[in-house]
Amino acid sequence: MLNINTIIRKIYQNRELIAAFTIRNIELKYKQTFLGILWALFMPGVIILSGAIVRIAMAYMMGKTFEFQQVFSVCVKSIPWTFFIASLKFAVSSLVSNMHILQKTNCSRVIFPVSYVISQFFDFLVASAVFVLIAVFFQSPVSWNIVWLIPITAILFCFTLGWSILLSAANLFYRDVRHIVDVVLMFGVFFTLVFFEVDLFGRGRLFLMLNPM
């Protein structure tokens, strides 16, 4: 059983391999694609559009006026959620899909899920940069609370990395782990408050806030 210190040491010792596999993953993702780097915006864009439709429908049913600023709330939450689900989706099957490399070399297994998470973090940074430009264009108000993005992003990255390593190892022994993860992530958006605000759920918000995402 590997502890956290051992995993961190293995990540540091294999940092060059992780960097090489990360670059490979990014190149394979955007190679011979029509949209190219814009794929980093596609999934967040779909979630944002879905969230906007949900917000408009809710405002209509409640007899309230939909404000365009509400879309920014969905944007802020959809970008990290996209990073989380994309990282898990690719990392869970990373050891199985790279089994041919593991059988021929003696490299550490941890490099595969880590490289997939880092490559998805690249998409996260691209989408975040575009969101910042859009927020500046619409003159969205900014306060010193934006500094909290640094520790929150670090926590999100570590949280995602931990689950990616754990589930990728579990998928080696039980191949249905990947399918279970896909199902959970499919419906997880409705329990992660990406589309909604926590105040809408009254006392139930305490239960929903137990979700670490």
Side-chain angles (χ1 to χ4, degrees):
M1 179 69 68
L2 294 178
N3 56 37
I4 295 177
N5 292 332
T6 303
I7 293 176
I8 294 175
R9 185 170 65 251
K10 285 184 175 292
I11 291 175
Y12 178 78
Q13 292 173 345
N14 294 275
R15 59 190 182 278
E16 294 182 358
L17 270 177
I18 291 174
F21 277 104
T22 299
I23 295 174
R24 183 205 67 167
N25 294 337
I26 295 175
E27 290 178 346
L28 288 176
K29 183 174 182 179
Y30 297 116
K31 187 178 181 180
Q32 295 180 342
T33 59
F34 177 74
L35 293 179
I37 195 65
L38 293 179
W39 276 110
L41 307 177
F42 180 76
M43 183 60 73
V46 171
I47 296 178
I48 292 170
L49 179 60
S50 302
I53 294 174
V54 170
R55 286 293 185 91
I56 292 173
M58 290 181 62
Y60 176 78
M61 290 187 297
M62 299 173 65
K64 297 182 179 180
T65 303
F66 174 78
E67 298 180 1
F68 183 75
Q69 291 292 335
Q70 297 180 20
V71 178
F72 283 99
S73 175
V74 179
C75 291
V76 170
K77 293 179 286 188
S78 65
I79 295 175
W81 173 249
T82 303
F83 161 69
F84 178 72
I85 62 175
S87 297
L88 287 189
K89 179 180 178 181
F90 288 102
V92 166
S93 57
S94 61
L95 295 180
V96 175
S97 60
N98 289 283
M99 188 61 68
H100 60 288
I101 299 178
L102 289 172
Q103 292 175 342
K104 296 179 181 179
T105 61
N106 195 26
C107 62
S108 176
R109 297 177 179 179
V110 76
I111 67 175
F112 296 104
V114 172
S115 64
Y116 278 103
V117 172
I118 297 177
S119 63
Q120 293 303 318
F121 192 71
F122 172 78
D123 289 356
F124 171 82
L125 294 178
V126 173
S128 299
V130 173
F131 170 72
V132 169
L133 294 176
I134 294 175
V136 171
F137 178 80
F138 285 100
Q139 299 180 347
S140 179
V142 178
S143 69
W144 283 105
N145 287 324
I146 197 172
V147 176
W148 283 104
L149 283 175
I150 299 175
I152 289 175
T153 301
I155 292 172
L156 171 66
F157 181 87
C158 293
F159 179 77
T160 305
L161 184 62
W163 275 107
S164 297
I165 294 174
L166 176 64
L167 293 175
S168 63
N171 191 55
L172 274 178
F173 300 97
Y174 306 101
R175 298 301 171 86
D176 54 350
V177 169
R178 178 173 61 89
H179 303 295
I180 295 174
V181 170
D182 288 341
V183 173
V184 172
L185 294 179
M186 182 184 303
F187 296 99
V189 67
F190 298 106
F191 301 96
T192 315
L193 301 175
V194 176
F195 294 160
F196 315 103
E197 300 297 335
V198 67
D199 295 334
L200 292 174
F201 296 90
R203 295 181 179 178
R205 68 181 183 273
L206 297 177
F207 174 75
L208 290 174
M209 291 302 289
L210 292 176
N211 183 347
M213 280 297 295

